[in-house]
Amino acid sequence: MKRISILLSLLLMLAGCEKHNSTPTGGDKVAAPENNQEDTTPALPPIIVGYATYWDTAIPDPTLVTHINYAFAHIKKDFESLDIKTSSRLKKIVALKEKNPDLKVLLSIGGWGAGNFSEMAADETHRKNFSKNCLAAVEQYNLDGIDLDWEYPTSSSGGISSSPNDTKNFNLLLKDLREVLGEDLLLTMASSSSAKYVDFKTAIQYMDFVNIMTYDMGDPPKHNAALYPSSMSSRSCDESVEFHRQKGVPYNKIVLGMPFYGHGNESDVPESVDFRDLNKYQDKFTEKWDDIAKVPYLVNGEGKMVLTFDNEKSIGLKADYIKKKRLRGAMYWNIEADDDNWTLSKAISSRLLGTNE
């Protein structure tokens, strides 16, 4: 996911490209889902998952989220040990439980360009030792679980190694992790908006919920994260939700991803613009609203899209969609991209948690 400023992008290049999701929308099509069918699984209390990055310093408001995923830890070259980035910041995030005792903090492992998953998952000894190291990290930092961000099994698009057996081995990894973590600790994953790469019908039994990365689904002139399909979208949130349901993920285990950043056309606007920096471009261009896709965008004097993004209105509508579909909740990348007033975070929490109303 290209969701950070140019300055941070340079930092990420040095740190190993911590891009969360970069599923190409072209050449990665999934057949359009059938008409939405009723999912009879019971609705659960909504959750809000925010990703907090190791390279930033902003401290989230723990009353606006139920879960924080600390991104990222990496798998070391021994295919077993964890490289936990900026552990001092992780400790500060965990300390937020003092303000919100119900807050859950998970260690997110992986990220765009983070490898060594394929080799680890293919070997039983590596898998089991990796799982034990995950539990050790949970116990050391007083965490509540593990979030896997392997982008993606069977794919080398992120410049990492892969194998045709990755999908099968991912199931084995989840099984080993669940056995080590037990039933009380959380085990989650970040999934491509296409719902590819994972055998969910097998995998879902081991996971508490799935965070679907319903963003990076288009660059100008296409929307980054359209809620519904329109002539200006390549893939939509609603389509992605149905892809996952058809692959075996019940609605009450689907967490809908939301971007706190937008994509520019690069000639008029930078490729990635955090929501907190949006006002730099709103005065230069004209804001439009796609009433089918339910998202805003900016156009230049010729009427061409120069920036696709989400705002308080579109984020709120996505939260309403979560309630309507009885999904598990919302996820967003990333906490630090919100403005100083936590505008987007509050738009979600007010609808899903009933806060700040």
Side-chain angles (χ1 to χ4, degrees):
M1 170 203 296
K2 297 177 181 176
R3 39 182 122 10
I4 53 177
S5 64
I6 295 176
L7 180 59
L8 280 178
S9 295
L10 294 174
L11 174 61
L12 298 188
M13 290 174 65
L14 295 174
C17 297
E18 304 294 354
K19 197 175 170 189
H20 191 231
N21 177 30
S22 184
T23 304
T25 53
D28 187 28
K29 299 283 186 178
V30 178
E34 301 170 1
N35 292 334
N36 293 4
Q37 299 176 13
E38 184 69 15
D39 187 322
T40 58
T41 51
L44 297 173
I47 63 173
I48 300 176
V49 182
Y51 277 85
T53 61
Y54 77 79
W55 56 84
D56 209 298
T57 58
I59 298 298
D61 182 338
T63 68
L64 301 178
V65 292
T66 61
H67 298 64
I68 295 177
N69 285 355
Y70 185 76
F72 290 104
H74 290 158
I75 303 170
K76 292 184 178 180
K77 293 181 179 179
D78 63 3
F79 309 124
E80 297 179 356
S81 304
L82 291 176
D83 178 15
I84 299 176
K85 307 290 186 179
T86 321
S87 59
S88 59
R89 174 159 167 76
L90 174 57
K91 293 176 182 178
K92 291 180 181 179
I93 297 296
V94 172
L96 294 174
K97 292 182 182 183
E98 297 175 6
K99 296 181 179 179
N100 178 6
D102 294 326
L103 178 69
K104 306 297 184 184
V105 179
L106 289 80
L107 181 64
S108 185
I109 302 172
W112 182 252
N116 298 329
F117 277 100
S118 183
E119 296 89 341
M120 177 269 291
D123 182 271
E124 181 179 6
T125 299
H126 290 330
R127 283 198 314 271
K128 292 187 179 298
N129 286 337
F130 169 78
S131 298
K132 292 176 183 177
N133 288 331
C134 286
L135 177 60
V138 167
E139 294 175 340
Q140 178 181 353
Y141 293 100
N142 189 28
L143 303 174
D144 299 282
I146 296 294
D147 174 63
L148 294 177
D149 198 350
W150 180 354
E151 301 183 26
Y152 300 96
T154 72
S155 172
S156 294
S157 58
I160 62 175
S161 58
S162 65
S163 164
N165 295 321
D166 284 346
T167 297
K168 177 187 68 175
N169 293 336
F170 185 63
N171 289 336
L172 297 175
L173 171 61
L174 291 170
K175 182 176 184 293
D176 288 344
L177 274 167
R178 178 51 73 194
E179 289 177 353
V180 169
L181 296 176
E183 294 302 319
D184 294 333
L185 293 172
L186 296 171
L187 179 56
T188 68
M189 69 165 290
S191 175
S192 164
S193 63
S194 69
K196 291 178 61 177
Y197 312 111
V198 174
D199 168 22
F200 283 109
K201 289 183 179 179
T202 301
I204 196 60
Q205 65 183 303
Y206 305 115
M207 293 186 286
D208 293 276
F209 52 84
V210 175
N211 301 304
I212 58 175
M213 294 185 281
T214 34
Y215 36 66
D216 295 337
M217 297 186 291
D219 295 306
K222 299 293 185 180
H223 294 304
N224 176 31
L227 178 54
Y228 296 105
S230 79
S231 61
M232 300 172 67
S233 68
S234 297
R235 185 182 299 143
S236 70
C237 295
D238 187 52
E239 289 172 306
S240 179
V241 165
E242 291 307 309
F243 292 154
H244 283 80
R245 186 187 62 81
Q246 291 174 13
K247 288 291 187 69
V249 187
Y251 285 154
N252 66 5
K253 283 194 174 185
I254 292 177
V255 177
L256 185 73
M258 304 182 189
F260 280 14
Y261 65 96
H263 284 311
N265 65 348
E266 296 192 79
S267 58
D268 299 286
V269 180
E271 194 281 334
S272 184
V273 178
D274 286 345
F275 177 75
R276 63 168 48 252
D277 298 322
L278 185 63
N279 57 356
K280 296 178 182 179
Y281 307 97
Q282 287 176 314
D283 293 337
K284 298 179 182 179
F285 302 101
T286 302
E287 184 168 323
K288 298 284 188 178
W289 176 260
D290 184 336
D291 201 39
I292 299 176
K294 304 299 182 185
V295 286
Y297 58 102
L298 298 183
V299 299
N300 60 18
E302 299 176 354
K304 296 181 179 180
M305 183 193 292
V306 296
L307 179 63
T308 167
F309 63 99
D310 272 84
N311 60 12
E312 186 176 5
K313 178 180 178 181
S314 63
I315 288 289
L317 290 173
K318 288 176 179 177
D320 292 341
Y321 171 90
I322 289 169
K323 292 192 294 184
K324 178 182 178 181
K325 299 283 285 192
R326 297 182 300 142
L327 305 184
R328 189 67 178 93
M331 172 273 283
Y332 50 84
W333 180 280
N334 57 9
I335 286 172
E336 302 94 345
D338 205 350
D339 62 21
D340 292 338
N341 295 320
W342 303 112
T343 297
L344 298 185
S345 301
K346 289 177 179 178
I348 300 171
S349 66
S350 63
R351 283 171 167 82
L352 297 186
L353 304 181
T355 57
N356 303 292
E357 290 184 332

